[in-house]
Amino acid sequence: MDAREQLFQQLIEDCGGGIARLAGSYVRNRAEREDLVQEIWLAIWRALPGFRGDSSLRTFAYRIAHNRSVTQLARRRDSEDSEVLDTVADERPGPEAQLVQSRDAERLMRAVSRLPLGMRQVLTLRFEGLSYSEISEVLGISESNVAVRLNRARERLNTKLNETV
């Protein structure tokens, strides 16, 4: 296995779930998400030889994922999209706990999906554990803008979540 393949495998292990969740925040159904995730990984594979180390490899991957997602969103805007956001279920302990967590996760995802794109972007990247600096690099905005968007997104998300209680 050459260095490129090793880097790629490491990215899949480290960022695979996050890339899928990021893609899911831009598209509305499972099929679109799966297609987008494949496009993202192909773009990352193609871009790896050009990685100069100016940022972390993780930031590099999320930047590519963001760019591909924005491109997909632009394509989708040309056609109507009325499908409901699919949620990704993970393994959870016990049926009661699973039901409660599932409802909470669905409620959160619905609320996040109703936020404007700029707010969804920063929230999703923050949920994935990226720092303000990394989010700034991924989105191409200042760290202070990241902070403002996150603050506004949290406020609006709290409002939306309280409306549905």
Side-chain angles (χ1 to χ4, degrees):
M1 189 180 302
D2 68 7
R4 179 179 174 192
E5 290 171 351
Q6 288 176 343
L7 279 176
F8 190 69
Q9 286 300 323
Q10 189 63 45
L11 276 172
I12 289 173
E13 290 173 22
D14 294 346
C15 303
I19 296 287
R21 286 185 291 274
L22 177 72
S25 74
Y26 285 86
V27 295
R28 300 288 184 203
N29 68 53
R30 182 172 290 161
E32 280 184 306
R33 183 179 61 239
E34 289 171 0
D35 288 346
L36 180 56
V37 168
Q38 286 182 358
E39 284 182 39
I40 289 168
W41 285 116
L42 181 60
I44 290 170
W45 174 257
R46 289 180 177 160
L48 272 177
F51 177 65
R52 297 183 313 258
D54 296 341
S55 64
S56 73
L57 191 57
R58 179 175 135 163
T59 302
F60 174 78
Y62 275 106
R63 178 67 184 178
I64 292 169
H66 163 71
N67 289 341
R68 284 289 169 174
S69 298
V70 168
T71 301
Q72 177 70 17
L73 187 63
R75 279 190 223 137
R76 191 183 68 192
R77 284 189 186 187
D78 294 336
S79 64
E80 284 190 344
D81 181 12
S82 62
E83 298 176 32
V84 178
L85 178 67
D86 288 339
T87 58
V88 179
D90 57 353
E91 295 180 18
R92 300 170 191 197
E96 286 183 41
Q98 184 177 1
L99 182 60
V100 169
Q101 289 176 350
S102 178
R103 286 181 181 164
D104 288 347
E106 289 174 18
R107 193 168 145 243
L108 178 62
M109 290 305 296
R110 277 194 309 272
V112 169
S113 73
R114 290 190 303 251
L115 294 174
L117 179 60
M119 291 179 184
R120 284 194 323 257
Q121 291 169 330
V122 295
L123 272 177
T124 301
L125 292 170
R126 191 67 178 151
F127 288 161
E128 293 306 322
L130 273 70
S131 69
Y132 283 32
S133 174
E134 290 171 321
I135 295 171
S136 169
E137 287 182 51
V138 168
L139 297 179
I141 59 177
S142 69
E143 284 185 51
S144 61
N145 196 326
V146 169
V148 168
R149 285 188 189 187
L150 272 173
N151 189 45
R152 289 180 181 163
R154 287 177 183 135
E155 288 174 359
R156 191 159 312 164
L157 190 57
N158 281 333
T159 302
K160 289 187 179 301
L161 289 172
N162 289 333
E163 288 172 357
T164 61
V165 173

